[in-house]
Amino acid sequence: MPVPTQELKLEIVNAATGQHLGGRAAPGVDGTLVVRDYPRGGPSPEQWQFTPAPGAHDDPAYVIRNAVSGKVLDTPAAADQGVRQSDASGKKGQQWHLVPVEGKAGLYLIEGAADGAVLDLAEPGKDDTPIVLGEYDDRAESQRWRLVPAEPERTSDLVLNWAPLSHWNSRQSWRLTHDKTALRPTPDATPSFSNVLLVLEKFGSDQDTAGWKNDAVTPSPSGEPGRWAGVGARFLADTGGTGRADIVGIRSTKGAVTSSSRGDGTFDDERPLHQGATSPNPADLWSVVDLTGNGRPDVVVLCTGGVRVSAQDEDGALTPEGGELAVKGFGHGKQAGGWLVEKHPRFLADTTGDGRLDIVGCHDDGLWVSLQDDEGKFAPLAEQPVLRAFGHSEEAGGWLVERHPRFLADTTGDGRLDIVGCHDDGLWVSLQDEEGTFAEPLYVLDDFGVDQGWSSIKEHPRFMVRTTSGGAPDIVGFGPQGIVVARGRGDGTFEPSQLILNDYGQAQGWTGEKHPRLLADVTGDGNPDIVGFGNEGVWVSHNKGDGTFEKAQLVCRGFGYNEDAGGWRVDRHPRFLADITGDGRVDIVGFGGPGVHVARNLFRRFRTQ
């Protein structure tokens, strides 16, 4: 587990005994520390906080502080005495290094910064076993320690209801209803969401709503909802350049269909968006995206022959009807390279900073790129990949779609996208120079990899995003113990990762099978917030503006796994965060059994008087 920030409280557990670090059951005046059992129904194990010691950047050291007493872990006063807790003095003997145990995810050696000795156990006594300093022994399990986060603290918003209103023209709207004596708006407070409304009885997974399926949605290489969708998929995209997200679905007979957002949280009836020359191939992947930056989204299809594009003209028509073959590559047919969903991630991204999206893919032999020029034409693929890395074959690194997320991000601030990937051993980066050449990948961080406990993309989504305005992209991940962040330094490298929130992880009961988790700007302040679809509903941790996050708050009692929260299932009910009203803040849209459900972003929070 990465080193936590000082705000988090942790229990320190010895790997050999399973007992917790703390004071004696009958405390003595010397403050000697021991490991001991904490019987059920008795006092809780002692908790500790890790505060970075000043001036230790290259080799970070920490002061380990008792969360209740404020006393800190201290070296013995004499060689034959045990480790103790005492008042903080700032001396070197109160500073400690956390050294990960190689090949043992989540285990650490706690090493003294003064002399390099490590925490160990004395010979077990009758009751409590004292803590001593000893010489490092790679075979001694008693020298290994596990950091266990305390139970997360959470809050909840009240549920607000919408009363349906009928109008003479058959349109529907809703009025917010609440008990005026119990609720009142709070100025400048964080927003909440309304209760869940069924706004369109189509696009559902039930048979009477056409039996749409979710297995046609292709996750992006980082685990969040992706741009590519196959036949039977539903997703959200701004199809008309209005600034509002519309519903898009890929039908087996009609091609892409859409229901346009009305701007009030509801949608128009279904209509064709794009009709292919023939019925869509089940292996085709579709996307709706503004390729050229002109504000008019286009339809892009990865098909048998390559990449086909239907551009949207000024009248909103997508031409040509079947799409124009833009690149003879990146497609699933043999003549287009034999790109497969289960092996070869593909991106649409502006790699050069010219405002136009390029096509990037990771094939067996490495990285392939087709740049878009000023006239909207895509360059033919070269005979060789631009970088023999980040590919599926062993020669290109043995990167697996289900285990190794890959990103395109500007890690240096030069306007060009670099390649960042999480492999088994940790984080790798390939920088792009001014000529468009990608350098050989560098190993930059020993975290976010399978060896550190990040078993899969589904179980542990990871994101490249700026957590503060104006900063370099950071890596944010939903790790085994909670939210982990590695700050970007702006030079292609990252600071050591930190556990910044003890929530949304496996240790807190979140799983990839039940609980989608992602990042989105819920408040409209430009900073990403953490959003999780949990058992009880939708939980949000708001970004404080400095890259840290508040405690999780239940903001919507719907879209959750439990039956009283809707009984939503990952394999049948896709959920999205998108602005469907054009107000600049994301709403929650879910495709349930009977159709499309919406919870609107309210801009403000209500609280009890």
Side-chain angles (χ1 to χ4, degrees), residues 18-48:
Q19 295 177 315
H20 292 74
L21 175 69
R24 294 183 183 275
V29 295
D30 61 351
T32 300
L33 291 171
V34 298
V35 294
R36 65 185 182 92
D37 290 322
Y38 286 81
R40 185 183 298 273
S44 299
E46 294 189 41
Q47 296 178 352
W48 306 84

PDB file of all heavy atoms in Angstrom, residues 18-48:
ATOM      1  N   GLY A  18       0.034 -11.040  13.366  1.00  0.00           N
ATOM      2  CA  GLY A  18      -1.303 -10.492  13.151  1.00  0.00           C
ATOM      3  C   GLY A  18      -1.749  -9.571  14.265  1.00  0.00           C
ATOM      4  O   GLY A  18      -2.922  -9.163  14.318  1.00  0.00           O
ATOM      5  N   GLN A  19      -0.835  -9.218  15.189  1.00  0.00           N
ATOM      6  CA  GLN A  19      -1.175  -8.356  16.315  1.00  0.00           C
ATOM      7  C   GLN A  19      -0.852  -6.896  15.997  1.00  0.00           C
ATOM      8  O   GLN A  19      -0.016  -6.594  15.142  1.00  0.00           O
ATOM      9  CB  GLN A  19      -0.411  -8.802  17.572  1.00  0.00           C
ATOM     10  CG  GLN A  19      -0.817 -10.194  18.052  1.00  0.00           C
ATOM     11  CD  GLN A  19      -0.005 -10.635  19.258  1.00  0.00           C
ATOM     12  OE1 GLN A  19       1.216 -10.474  19.292  1.00  0.00           O
ATOM     13  NE2 GLN A  19      -0.683 -11.196  20.251  1.00  0.00           N
ATOM     14  N   HIS A  20      -1.515  -5.996  16.724  1.00  0.00           N
ATOM     15  CA  HIS A  20      -1.431  -4.562  16.458  1.00  0.00           C
ATOM     16  C   HIS A  20      -0.372  -3.894  17.322  1.00  0.00           C
ATOM     17  O   HIS A  20      -0.186  -4.240  18.500  1.00  0.00           O
ATOM     18  CB  HIS A  20      -2.777  -3.891  16.734  1.00  0.00           C
ATOM     19  CG  HIS A  20      -3.845  -4.284  15.757  1.00  0.00           C
ATOM     20  ND1 HIS A  20      -4.455  -5.524  15.783  1.00  0.00           N
ATOM     21  CD2 HIS A  20      -4.415  -3.597  14.733  1.00  0.00           C
ATOM     22  CE1 HIS A  20      -5.361  -5.580  14.817  1.00  0.00           C
ATOM     23  NE2 HIS A  20      -5.356  -4.431  14.168  1.00  0.00           N
ATOM     24  N   LEU A  21       0.278  -2.894  16.728  1.00  0.00           N
ATOM     25  CA  LEU A  21       1.227  -2.062  17.459  1.00  0.00           C
ATOM     26  C   LEU A  21       0.470  -1.100  18.364  1.00  0.00           C
ATOM     27  O   LEU A  21      -0.507  -0.460  17.944  1.00  0.00           O
ATOM     28  CB  LEU A  21       2.084  -1.272  16.471  1.00  0.00           C
ATOM     29  CG  LEU A  21       3.058  -0.245  17.048  1.00  0.00           C
ATOM     30  CD1 LEU A  21       4.191  -0.944  17.785  1.00  0.00           C
ATOM     31  CD2 LEU A  21       3.618   0.639  15.937  1.00  0.00           C
ATOM     32  N   GLY A  22       0.921  -0.992  19.615  1.00  0.00           N
ATOM     33  CA  GLY A  22       0.289  -0.075  20.559  1.00  0.00           C
ATOM     34  C   GLY A  22       1.010  -0.088  21.884  1.00  0.00           C
ATOM     35  O   GLY A  22       2.083  -0.687  22.030  1.00  0.00           O
ATOM     36  N   GLY A  23       0.416   0.577  22.857  1.00  0.00           N
ATOM     37  CA  GLY A  23       0.979   0.562  24.200  1.00  0.00           C
ATOM     38  C   GLY A  23       0.623  -0.719  24.925  1.00  0.00           C
ATOM     39  O   GLY A  23      -0.199  -1.524  24.465  1.00  0.00           O
ATOM     40  N   ARG A  24       1.268  -0.938  26.058  1.00  0.00           N
ATOM     41  CA  ARG A  24       0.964  -2.128  26.857  1.00  0.00           C
ATOM     42  C   ARG A  24      -0.476  -2.073  27.364  1.00  0.00           C
ATOM     43  O   ARG A  24      -1.072  -1.001  27.492  1.00  0.00           O
ATOM     44  CB  ARG A  24       1.907  -2.218  28.052  1.00  0.00           C
ATOM     45  CG  ARG A  24       3.370  -2.458  27.676  1.00  0.00           C
ATOM     46  CD  ARG A  24       4.209  -2.602  28.937  1.00  0.00           C
ATOM     47  NE  ARG A  24       5.616  -2.765  28.632  1.00  0.00           N
ATOM     48  CZ  ARG A  24       6.202  -3.924  28.343  1.00  0.00           C
ATOM     49  NH1 ARG A  24       5.478  -5.030  28.305  1.00  0.00           N
ATOM     50  NH2 ARG A  24       7.492  -3.981  28.093  1.00  0.00           N
ATOM     51  N   ALA A  25      -1.020  -3.243  27.641  1.00  0.00           N
ATOM     52  CA  ALA A  25      -2.360  -3.302  28.202  1.00  0.00           C
ATOM     53  C   ALA A  25      -2.418  -2.551  29.528  1.00  0.00           C
ATOM     54  O   ALA A  25      -3.412  -1.897  29.848  1.00  0.00           O
ATOM     55  CB  ALA A  25      -2.798  -4.758  28.391  1.00  0.00           C
ATOM     56  N   ALA A  26      -1.320  -2.640  30.295  1.00  0.00           N
ATOM     57  CA  ALA A  26      -1.181  -1.850  31.520  1.00  0.00           C
ATOM     58  C   ALA A  26      -0.016  -0.899  31.289  1.00  0.00           C
ATOM     59  O   ALA A  26       1.144  -1.266  31.495  1.00  0.00           O
ATOM     60  CB  ALA A  26      -0.925  -2.752  32.722  1.00  0.00           C
ATOM     61  N   PRO A  27      -0.281   0.317  30.800  1.00  0.00           N
ATOM     62  CA  PRO A  27       0.792   1.216  30.361  1.00  0.00           C
ATOM     63  C   PRO A  27       1.799   1.510  31.465  1.00  0.00           C
ATOM     64  O   PRO A  27       1.449   1.647  32.633  1.00  0.00           O
ATOM     65  CB  PRO A  27       0.030   2.489  29.956  1.00  0.00           C
ATOM     66  CG  PRO A  27      -1.367   2.034  29.703  1.00  0.00           C
ATOM     67  CD  PRO A  27      -1.605   0.911  30.648  1.00  0.00           C
ATOM     68  N   GLY A  28       3.060   1.586  31.042  1.00  0.00           N
ATOM     69  CA  GLY A  28       4.124   1.961  31.947  1.00  0.00           C
ATOM     70  C   GLY A  28       4.550   3.392  31.701  1.00  0.00           C
ATOM     71  O   GLY A  28       4.144   4.032  30.744  1.00  0.00           O
ATOM     72  N   VAL A  29       5.421   3.907  32.572  1.00  0.00           N
ATOM     73  CA  VAL A  29       5.827   5.313  32.467  1.00  0.00           C
ATOM     74  C   VAL A  29       6.792   5.533  31.321  1.00  0.00           C
ATOM     75  O   VAL A  29       6.964   6.666  30.862  1.00  0.00           O
ATOM     76  CB  VAL A  29       6.468   5.780  33.788  1.00  0.00           C
ATOM     77  CG1 VAL A  29       5.442   5.764  34.903  1.00  0.00           C
ATOM     78  CG2 VAL A  29       7.670   4.898  34.153  1.00  0.00           C
ATOM     79  N   ASP A  30       7.438   4.475  30.819  1.00  0.00           N
ATOM     80  CA  ASP A  30       8.441   4.651  29.775  1.00  0.00           C
ATOM     81  C   ASP A  30       7.833   4.689  28.371  1.00  0.00           C
ATOM     82  O   ASP A  30       8.529   4.934  27.391  1.00  0.00           O
ATOM     83  CB  ASP A  30       9.499   3.549  29.854  1.00  0.00           C
ATOM     84  CG  ASP A  30       8.914   2.155  29.649  1.00  0.00           C
ATOM     85  OD1 ASP A  30       7.668   2.031  29.611  1.00  0.00           O
ATOM     86  OD2 ASP A  30       9.702   1.196  29.538  1.00  0.00           O
ATOM     87  N   GLY A  31       6.543   4.432  28.228  1.00  0.00           N
ATOM     88  CA  GLY A  31       5.892   4.493  26.918  1.00  0.00           C
ATOM     89  C   GLY A  31       6.307   3.387  25.976  1.00  0.00           C
ATOM     90  O   GLY A  31       6.219   3.542  24.761  1.00  0.00           O
ATOM     91  N   THR A  32       6.786   2.252  26.505  1.00  0.00           N
ATOM     92  CA  THR A  32       7.246   1.161  25.657  1.00  0.00           C
ATOM     93  C   THR A  32       6.115   0.640  24.776  1.00  0.00           C
ATOM     94  O   THR A  32       4.977   0.490  25.217  1.00  0.00           O
ATOM     95  CB  THR A  32       7.784   0.016  26.520  1.00  0.00           C
ATOM     96  OG1 THR A  32       8.862   0.507  27.306  1.00  0.00           O
ATOM     97  CG2 THR A  32       8.280  -1.129  25.646  1.00  0.00           C
ATOM     98  N   LEU A  33       6.443   0.347  23.522  1.00  0.00           N
ATOM     99  CA  LEU A  33       5.463  -0.149  22.563  1.00  0.00           C
ATOM    100  C   LEU A  33       5.578  -1.661  22.417  1.00  0.00           C
ATOM    101  O   LEU A  33       6.680  -2.227  22.505  1.00  0.00           O
ATOM    102  CB  LEU A  33       5.659   0.525  21.210  1.00  0.00           C
ATOM    103  CG  LEU A  33       5.298   2.017  21.173  1.00  0.00           C
ATOM    104  CD1 LEU A  33       5.745   2.636  19.857  1.00  0.00           C
ATOM    105  CD2 LEU A  33       3.795   2.213  21.360  1.00  0.00           C
ATOM    106  N   VAL A  34       4.437  -2.290  22.170  1.00  0.00           N
ATOM    107  CA  VAL A  34       4.374  -3.741  22.039  1.00  0.00           C
ATOM    108  C   VAL A  34       3.415  -4.072  20.894  1.00  0.00           C
ATOM    109  O   VAL A  34       2.753  -3.203  20.337  1.00  0.00           O
ATOM    110  CB  VAL A  34       3.860  -4.393  23.345  1.00  0.00           C
ATOM    111  CG1 VAL A  34       4.795  -4.106  24.499  1.00  0.00           C
ATOM    112  CG2 VAL A  34       2.435  -3.921  23.672  1.00  0.00           C
ATOM    113  N   VAL A  35       3.363  -5.351  20.533  1.00  0.00           N
ATOM    114  CA  VAL A  35       2.240  -5.850  19.738  1.00  0.00           C
ATOM    115  C   VAL A  35       1.411  -6.721  20.653  1.00  0.00           C
ATOM    116  O   VAL A  35       1.939  -7.490  21.474  1.00  0.00           O
ATOM    117  CB  VAL A  35       2.694  -6.621  18.488  1.00  0.00           C
ATOM    118  CG1 VAL A  35       3.397  -5.709  17.512  1.00  0.00           C
ATOM    119  CG2 VAL A  35       3.564  -7.813  18.828  1.00  0.00           C
ATOM    120  N   ARG A  36       0.081  -6.577  20.505  1.00  0.00           N
ATOM    121  CA  ARG A  36      -0.793  -7.350  21.383  1.00  0.00           C
ATOM    122  C   ARG A  36      -2.162  -7.518  20.739  1.00  0.00           C
ATOM    123  O   ARG A  36      -2.484  -6.861  19.740  1.00  0.00           O
ATOM    124  CB  ARG A  36      -0.932  -6.667  22.743  1.00  0.00           C
ATOM    125  CG  ARG A  36      -1.638  -5.309  22.719  1.00  0.00           C
ATOM    126  CD  ARG A  36      -1.589  -4.688  24.110  1.00  0.00           C
ATOM    127  NE  ARG A  36      -2.270  -3.421  24.192  1.00  0.00           N
ATOM    128  CZ  ARG A  36      -3.564  -3.261  24.545  1.00  0.00           C
ATOM    129  NH1 ARG A  36      -4.308  -4.340  24.817  1.00  0.00           N
ATOM    130  NH2 ARG A  36      -4.097  -2.065  24.629  1.00  0.00           N
ATOM    131  N   ASP A  37      -2.942  -8.412  21.308  1.00  0.00           N
ATOM    132  CA  ASP A  37      -4.304  -8.624  20.843  1.00  0.00           C
ATOM    133  C   ASP A  37      -5.226  -7.572  21.442  1.00  0.00           C
ATOM    134  O   ASP A  37      -4.994  -7.088  22.565  1.00  0.00           O
ATOM    135  CB  ASP A  37      -4.803 -10.019  21.259  1.00  0.00           C
ATOM    136  CG  ASP A  37      -4.096 -11.127  20.490  1.00  0.00           C
ATOM    137  OD1 ASP A  37      -3.844 -10.931  19.286  1.00  0.00           O
ATOM    138  OD2 ASP A  37      -3.795 -12.173  21.097  1.00  0.00           O
ATOM    139  N   TYR A  38      -6.258  -7.265  20.698  1.00  0.00           N
ATOM    140  CA  TYR A  38      -7.304  -6.365  21.180  1.00  0.00           C
ATOM    141  C   TYR A  38      -8.611  -7.145  21.138  1.00  0.00           C
ATOM    142  O   TYR A  38      -9.232  -7.286  20.081  1.00  0.00           O
ATOM    143  CB  TYR A  38      -7.392  -5.119  20.302  1.00  0.00           C
ATOM    144  CG  TYR A  38      -6.257  -4.155  20.531  1.00  0.00           C
ATOM    145  CD1 TYR A  38      -5.014  -4.353  19.940  1.00  0.00           C
ATOM    146  CD2 TYR A  38      -6.414  -3.047  21.360  1.00  0.00           C
ATOM    147  CE1 TYR A  38      -3.969  -3.489  20.153  1.00  0.00           C
ATOM    148  CE2 TYR A  38      -5.365  -2.164  21.591  1.00  0.00           C
ATOM    149  CZ  TYR A  38      -4.148  -2.393  20.984  1.00  0.00           C
ATOM    150  OH  TYR A  38      -3.099  -1.529  21.205  1.00  0.00           O
ATOM    151  N   PRO A  39      -9.041  -7.707  22.273  1.00  0.00           N
ATOM    152  CA  PRO A  39     -10.230  -8.585  22.276  1.00  0.00           C
ATOM    153  C   PRO A  39     -11.475  -7.849  21.800  1.00  0.00           C
ATOM    154  O   PRO A  39     -11.619  -6.641  21.988  1.00  0.00           O
ATOM    155  CB  PRO A  39     -10.355  -8.991  23.753  1.00  0.00           C
ATOM    156  CG  PRO A  39      -9.004  -8.738  24.348  1.00  0.00           C
ATOM    157  CD  PRO A  39      -8.438  -7.575  23.606  1.00  0.00           C
ATOM    158  N   ARG A  40     -12.359  -8.614  21.162  1.00  0.00           N
ATOM    159  CA  ARG A  40     -13.642  -8.061  20.719  1.00  0.00           C
ATOM    160  C   ARG A  40     -14.414  -7.522  21.925  1.00  0.00           C
ATOM    161  O   ARG A  40     -14.521  -8.172  22.960  1.00  0.00           O
ATOM    162  CB  ARG A  40     -14.452  -9.134  20.013  1.00  0.00           C
ATOM    163  CG  ARG A  40     -15.752  -8.616  19.399  1.00  0.00           C
ATOM    164  CD  ARG A  40     -16.520  -9.760  18.775  1.00  0.00           C
ATOM    165  NE  ARG A  40     -15.759 -10.380  17.697  1.00  0.00           N
ATOM    166  CZ  ARG A  40     -15.782  -9.945  16.440  1.00  0.00           C
ATOM    167  NH1 ARG A  40     -16.528  -8.895  16.117  1.00  0.00           N
ATOM    168  NH2 ARG A  40     -15.075 -10.565  15.508  1.00  0.00           N
ATOM    169  N   GLY A  41     -14.950  -6.337  21.791  1.00  0.00           N
ATOM    170  CA  GLY A  41     -15.688  -5.714  22.877  1.00  0.00           C
ATOM    171  C   GLY A  41     -14.816  -4.869  23.782  1.00  0.00           C
ATOM    172  O   GLY A  41     -15.333  -4.118  24.633  1.00  0.00           O
ATOM    173  N   GLY A  42     -13.495  -4.966  23.610  1.00  0.00           N
ATOM    174  CA  GLY A  42     -12.593  -4.155  24.415  1.00  0.00           C
ATOM    175  C   GLY A  42     -12.171  -2.899  23.682  1.00  0.00           C
ATOM    176  O   GLY A  42     -12.788  -2.488  22.691  1.00  0.00           O
ATOM    177  N   PRO A  43     -11.087  -2.260  24.124  1.00  0.00           N
ATOM    178  CA  PRO A  43     -10.601  -1.062  23.448  1.00  0.00           C
ATOM    179  C   PRO A  43     -10.195  -1.367  22.002  1.00  0.00           C
ATOM    180  O   PRO A  43      -9.724  -2.462  21.692  1.00  0.00           O
ATOM    181  CB  PRO A  43      -9.377  -0.660  24.294  1.00  0.00           C
ATOM    182  CG  PRO A  43      -9.561  -1.349  25.608  1.00  0.00           C
ATOM    183  CD  PRO A  43     -10.301  -2.610  25.312  1.00  0.00           C
ATOM    184  N   SER A  44     -10.378  -0.405  21.122  1.00  0.00           N
ATOM    185  CA  SER A  44      -9.986  -0.575  19.722  1.00  0.00           C
ATOM    186  C   SER A  44      -8.477  -0.461  19.590  1.00  0.00           C
ATOM    187  O   SER A  44      -7.814   0.179  20.422  1.00  0.00           O
ATOM    188  CB  SER A  44     -10.657   0.491  18.853  1.00  0.00           C
ATOM    189  OG  SER A  44     -12.065   0.371  18.927  1.00  0.00           O
ATOM    190  N   PRO A  45      -7.900  -1.085  18.573  1.00  0.00           N
ATOM    191  CA  PRO A  45      -6.456  -0.940  18.359  1.00  0.00           C
ATOM    192  C   PRO A  45      -6.067   0.524  18.189  1.00  0.00           C
ATOM    193  O   PRO A  45      -6.840   1.338  17.674  1.00  0.00           O
ATOM    194  CB  PRO A  45      -6.218  -1.728  17.062  1.00  0.00           C
ATOM    195  CG  PRO A  45      -7.349  -2.687  16.984  1.00  0.00           C
ATOM    196  CD  PRO A  45      -8.523  -1.989  17.583  1.00  0.00           C
ATOM    197  N   GLU A  46      -4.870   0.839  18.628  1.00  0.00           N
ATOM    198  CA  GLU A  46      -4.399   2.222  18.505  1.00  0.00           C
ATOM    199  C   GLU A  46      -4.180   2.568  17.035  1.00  0.00           C
ATOM    200  O   GLU A  46      -3.806   1.714  16.220  1.00  0.00           O
ATOM    201  CB  GLU A  46      -3.114   2.410  19.308  1.00  0.00           C
ATOM    202  CG  GLU A  46      -3.342   2.262  20.811  1.00  0.00           C
ATOM    203  CD  GLU A  46      -2.114   2.661  21.616  1.00  0.00           C
ATOM    204  OE1 GLU A  46      -1.472   3.659  21.260  1.00  0.00           O
ATOM    205  OE2 GLU A  46      -1.815   1.957  22.605  1.00  0.00           O
ATOM    206  N   GLN A  47      -4.397   3.837  16.704  1.00  0.00           N
ATOM    207  CA  GLN A  47      -4.267   4.306  15.335  1.00  0.00           C
ATOM    208  C   GLN A  47      -3.144   5.329  15.252  1.00  0.00           C
ATOM    209  O   GLN A  47      -2.868   6.077  16.200  1.00  0.00           O
ATOM    210  CB  GLN A  47      -5.588   4.913  14.852  1.00  0.00           C
ATOM    211  CG  GLN A  47      -6.710   3.889  14.786  1.00  0.00           C
ATOM    212  CD  GLN A  47      -8.033   4.492  14.355  1.00  0.00           C
ATOM    213  OE1 GLN A  47      -8.173   5.706  14.231  1.00  0.00           O
ATOM    214  NE2 GLN A  47      -9.018   3.642  14.111  1.00  0.00           N
ATOM    215  N   TRP A  48      -2.525   5.384  14.054  1.00  0.00           N
ATOM    216  CA  TRP A  48      -1.332   6.193  13.842  1.00  0.00           C
ATOM    217  C   TRP A  48      -1.484   7.017  12.573  1.00  0.00           C
ATOM    218  O   TRP A  48      -2.203   6.626  11.647  1.00  0.00           O
ATOM    219  CB  TRP A  48      -0.094   5.291  13.754  1.00  0.00           C
ATOM    220  CG  TRP A  48       0.059   4.385  14.934  1.00  0.00           C
ATOM    221  CD1 TRP A  48      -0.539   3.178  15.132  1.00  0.00           C
ATOM    222  CD2 TRP A  48       0.830   4.641  16.109  1.00  0.00           C
ATOM    223  NE1 TRP A  48      -0.190   2.649  16.345  1.00  0.00           N
ATOM    224  CE2 TRP A  48       0.655   3.530  16.967  1.00  0.00           C
ATOM    225  CE3 TRP A  48       1.652   5.685  16.515  1.00  0.00           C
ATOM    226  CZ2 TRP A  48       1.277   3.454  18.216  1.00  0.00           C
ATOM    227  CZ3 TRP A  48       2.285   5.599  17.750  1.00  0.00           C
ATOM    228  CH2 TRP A  48       2.091   4.492  18.592  1.00  0.00           C
TER     229      TRP A  48
END
